[in-house]
Amino acid sequence: MMTAQHARPGGPGIARPERTPAALRCALAQVAPHRLAEMERDKDEAIALAAATDRLGPIVQFLETWAVAVEIARNPALAARLRAAEHAARTIDRNAPVWRAAMDEIHAVHAAARQSLGRE
């Protein structure tokens, strides 16, 4: 199920999903279907770890990680910033100052997405 936030020109392409595996998977299928297999692997690992440790932490972390990923992917401006920074981080020498700037941008995009999720 999606929250009541509606898409607007220049804004998110889809409504923010609830923080459940099914809702996040549905949203991811719309904004980044190429990541569905990755999400399923992460979910399986989180469930296995939660069962092995008798703790819910891995499942909570899975939901947080994928809520952030969907938040970025559903927002074209954030997604573009992340793609550019990831490309720079992959292609620039790690000793170059611009590499550190690219890594800082990656962290900033994730922080912006987490902050946006906090305003639900």
Side-chain angles (χ1 to χ4, degrees), residues 9-75:
I14 64 167
R16 179 176 293 133
E18 292 180 4
R19 223 175 274 197
T20 66
L24 291 170
R25 186 183 193 295
C26 180
L28 192 66
Q30 293 176 61
V31 296
H34 62 283
R35 298 195 65 195
L36 285 170
E38 177 188 359
M39 181 188 195
E40 287 301 312
R41 281 189 306 273
D42 284 359
K43 182 176 76 172
D44 291 345
E45 289 173 10
I47 291 169
L49 186 56
T53 61
D54 200 25
R55 300 201 179 273
L56 292 177
I59 294 171
V60 171
Q61 183 59 46
F62 162 80
L63 293 171
E64 174 68 17
T65 296
W66 285 98
V68 168
V70 168
E71 186 68 13
I72 293 168
R74 74 185 197 89
N75 185 318

Side-chain angles (χ1 to χ4, degrees), residues 76-105:
L78 273 181
R81 282 176 55 196
L82 182 61
R83 279 191 307 274
E86 288 176 335
H87 176 74
R90 282 192 310 272
T91 59
I92 295 171
D93 180 73
R94 288 181 182 232
N95 296 318
V98 290
W99 183 83
R100 173 51 38 209
M103 295 304 293
D104 290 345
E105 177 69 354

